[in-house]
Structures are given as structure tokens and as C-alpha cells.
Amino acid sequence: MDQDRLIASLLAAVPHPMLVVGDDARIAWLNAPARAILGDADGRHYLTVIRQPEPVALLERVLAGGEGGTTRWRLTGPGRDTVYRGLVARVAGLGASLAFQDVSDVEHAADMRRDFVANVSHELRTPLTALLGFIETLRGAARDDPAARARFLGIMEREALRMNRLVGDLLSLSRVEAEERVRPRTQVELAGLARSVLATLRGMADAAQVTLTLDAEADLPPVAGDLDQLTQVLHNLVENAVKYGGSGKTVRVVLRRVAHDPVLRSPGLSLSVIDQGAGIDAIHLPRLTERFYRVDTHRSREQGGTGLGLAIVKHIINRHRGRLKISSEKGKGSVFEVVLPLI
Ligand code: ADP
């Protein structure tokens, strides 16, 4: 076999884009994945094909007899950037090879992880700082003041409960994520579940002077689901509706059958939580289920929110192959509708 075919067949066996630049600085070989990105670059000067300074500098160095190495570069695109990691090596007697790989997903996941850890640390630090401050005060200025002591202990309890809720939500989120690919098997009857969630939240609703109502179609079939998780979905949605719905108002839970859901492409059960609150501006709707995303951070904190409730809801619904639709009108209220497939 001649050298040309040997090198071409070796390159064809590499799953990533790869090319060889000859000592004359022209592209001598490239495999199909490289061609898909760079076009028909055979025989062209490498500088007319590869324009990013990082790989170019490395190729230049290797073609001049220097050491190879790894590099990374970024291509800004209309959507998000593409990040490549590449390896340039000397090919004895021929020139230099460049193999590269799209690592955008890996980098994106790393960015998300970093942001998440930073957010969690920040969220935990706020109540922790308050607790440390009050411990200091209780040891000092408020030591012999029973009234101040009682008040500060009350605040400390609230802050500790907030941390506890945050840790609880973080654990829920990681449990739900771990199970996201496992389909739930048990049969859940949603009307009964809704009655018990509303009973649990009645005390909170009474305190906020919110009326809770349930309107369930008769004889609804059960859905394949995880009872605890679906309870959490409804609990989080109704709790939000009470928190953000405003006192003196009504929160309605409506359960009905859907003959054909156009997105799920199957029959389904629809569960809507409808409030009469201030509503949510449309620009926030697409981001509402992101972790720690809040329309009004101050209001959420005041209400004891963790910013994770809707992220948990979204993951649970994904696991159930269902969908969440949020619609809202400023000044009129919001509707959080969950549709679960009935198959
Ligand atoms: P939080 O713990 O802050 O309530 P969630 O993830 O449950 O976190 O909700 C995220 C944000 O979405 C809330 O901070 C709030 O701004 C907004 N939100 C959620 N439900 C409603 C609702 N029914 N009406 C208005 N805003 C809502």
C-alpha cells in the first residue's frame, strides 16, 4: 500500500476531525469529520483554511521544527460559541498533524457546575452570616436583655429554617436528577393526591387569607407516576400560587382529561394551578424553571423561597415525560399547567 493511502486510511479511522499539513504548508490529507467543518481544503495553504491564532501558532512552530502541543480556541457563532480543543504533533518526514474536538458541551457543563456551586454558596452564606452576627450580639450587647434575646432567637430560627429548606431542596433536586431516566411505574390517582396536597397547605393558605379550591373532572384514570414526586410538584405549584397570589384571592386547582395533547402527541391528564396574583412579565417566563432564578429576589426571600421549587418541578415532569406550560397576564394572574401522558 502506498503512503498516501496508508495515511488516508489511518485518518479515516480517527473519529475526530484531523488533518495533516505538509512541509510545504499545504493541507495534504484531511478526514471526513474535518472536511465537514473546513470544506474541501485539500491542497490549500493551511493559513487560508485555519484562521484561529492558537492552532495557527502551534502549526507554525511544529512546521518550523519545534515541539507540538495542545491548544484550545473559541469560535463565536450566532447562537452560543463553539470551543475546540486541538493537538498538534510532528509527523516525521511529512509535516504536522492537527486533531481537534468540539468541547463546547463539556465546557458548558463545567460553566453550569461552577455557577451552581457559586449560587449555592451565596445562598447558604446569607443566612449563615445572619446567624453568626446574632450569636455575636447574644454574647455581647444582648446578653442581659431577655426581650432582645427572644427576638434574636426568633430571627435565628427563621434563618436556620431557611438553610434547612435550601439543603432539603438541593437534596430533592439531586435525587430527582439521579432518577430522571428511570420511568415511574406505579399508578397515581391525581384527584386524591390533589385533595391531600390542598389539605396539607390549608393552614398556610388560611394564614395568607387565600381560598383553595379543587375542580376535578369525574372518573379520571390514574397516570403512571411517582406518588411522592407528583405530590411535590403540586405542593410547590400551589405553595407558589399562595405565596405570590396575594391575600384575599382564590387559588384554583383544575384537573381534566386531554383527548390529545399536541406536544406530547398522546392523550393526557392536565393539572392546572391558577392564581389571581400580580402575574409574571413575559420576559421572565422562559427562565422561571432555572435554578435560583427569581423575578423578585427580595420578595422570594421574604416569603422564605429557595428559588429551587420550579427547577424541581421541571425535573420531575421531565422524568414523567410530561410538560409544563406557564402562562401569565400582568395584573390578572398566572396559570401553571402540567400535562402528563396517559398511555
Ligand atoms: P421561590 O422559592 O423563589 O418561590 P420557585 O422556583 O418556586 O422559587 O419560583 C421561582 C420564581 O418564579 C419565584 O421567585 C417567583 O418570582 C416566580 N413565581 C413562581 N410562581 C409564581 C406565581 N404563581 N406567581 C408569580 N410569580 C411566581
Side-chain angles (χ1 to χ4, degrees):
M1 193 191 271
D2 61 21
Q3 189 192 42
D4 201 49
R5 283 176 52 210
L6 174 67
I7 293 172
S9 60
L10 278 176
L11 285 198
V14 176
H16 304 301
M18 183 165 178
L19 53 88
V20 175
V21 180
D23 278 325
D24 59 357
R26 294 188 178 277
I27 293 180
W29 294 272
L30 76 167
N31 65 5
R35 194 167 280 122
I37 294 171
L38 302 171
D40 281 328
D42 309 69
R44 284 173 56 188
H45 194 289
Y46 78 92
L47 283 176
T48 66
V49 178
I50 301 158
R51 293 168 192 277
Q52 287 64 46
E54 300 86 349
V56 163
L58 208 50
L59 280 167
E60 239 166 34
R61 190 172 84 190
V62 173
L63 289 172
E67 284 269 306
T70 56
T71 180
R72 72 192 269 297
W73 64 96
R74 180 180 287 269
L75 285 187
T76 32
R80 80 181 165 149
D81 293 359
T82 316
V83 183
Y84 290 104
R85 197 156 42 212
L87 171 75
V88 177
R90 178 86 206 149
V91 185
L94 287 178
S97 67
L98 165 66
F100 59 101
Q101 199 179 350
D102 180 345
V103 291
S104 317
D105 286 347
V106 182
E107 299 250 331
H108 184 61
D111 286 349
M112 301 246 300
R113 214 166 25 241
R114 248 191 320 273
D115 283 356
F116 182 63
V117 171
N119 276 328
V120 170
S121 313
H122 175 76
E123 296 285 338
L124 282 171
R125 174 164 271 172
T126 313
L128 201 53
T129 307
L131 280 176
L132 289 171
F134 284 117
I135 289 173
E136 181 109 3
T137 319
L138 285 175
R139 282 214 176 110
R143 188 163 42 192
D144 302 316
D145 181 344
R149 206 160 53 214
R151 192 159 60 83
F152 292 156
L153 282 172
I155 304 175
M156 288 169 76
E157 183 180 27
R158 220 175 47 227
E159 296 298 330
L161 286 172
R162 178 204 298 285
M163 285 174 72
N164 200 34
R165 257 196 317 275
L166 182 62
V167 172
D169 277 358
L170 286 168
L171 287 173
S172 289
L173 196 59
S174 75
R175 244 192 325 264
V176 176
E177 273 186 330
E179 288 178 343
E180 200 154 344
R181 289 174 206 292
V182 188
R183 268 201 107 156
R185 293 183 182 280
T186 47
Q187 296 291 313
V188 178
E189 204 251 302
L190 287 185
L193 178 150
R195 269 190 291 275
S196 85
V197 169
L198 292 188
T200 314
L201 288 171
R202 192 134 279 140
M204 179 200 176
D206 286 348
Q209 294 173 325
V210 169
T211 310
L212 298 178
T213 67
L214 173 64
D215 168 5
E217 210 175 279
D219 302 323
L220 289 172
V223 285
D226 179 311
L227 179 66
D228 288 344
Q229 290 189 346
L230 291 179
T231 301
Q232 195 167 12
V233 165
L234 191 60
H235 189 280
N236 289 0
L237 293 180
V238 175
E239 194 177 31
N240 277 350
V242 172
K243 281 194 311 196
Y244 303 108
S247 77
K249 302 281 175 57
T250 298
V251 169
R252 292 198 300 135
V253 176
V254 178
L255 268 174
R256 61 186 176 82
R257 207 182 166 126
V258 180
H260 178 80
D261 184 89
V263 179
L264 300 182
R265 299 197 194 157
S266 75
L269 275 192
S270 150
L271 185 161
S272 298
V273 179
I274 306 163
D275 69 56
Q276 303 170 322
I280 307 159
D281 204 291
I283 54 162
H284 297 294
L285 294 184
R287 300 196 56 192
L288 232 43
T289 56
E290 284 176 21
R291 294 154 191 208
F292 299 117
Y293 188 86
R294 295 147 162 137
V295 175
D296 178 344
T297 309
H298 179 71
R299 173 118 193 253
S300 157
R301 289 246 166 79
E302 218 173 54
Q303 304 269 9
T306 59
L308 292 174
L310 290 178
I312 295 173
V313 164
K314 188 191 79 177
H315 280 286
I316 294 177
I317 295 171
N318 283 351
R319 182 187 171 206
H320 286 75
R321 312 277 201 275
R323 71 182 178 100
L324 172 68
K325 192 175 148 206
I326 309 172
S327 37
S328 188
E329 209 175 321
K330 283 291 268 181
K332 293 220 164 136
S334 312
V335 180
F336 287 74
E337 184 191 21
V338 179
V339 185
L340 298 172
L342 260 185
I343 338 168

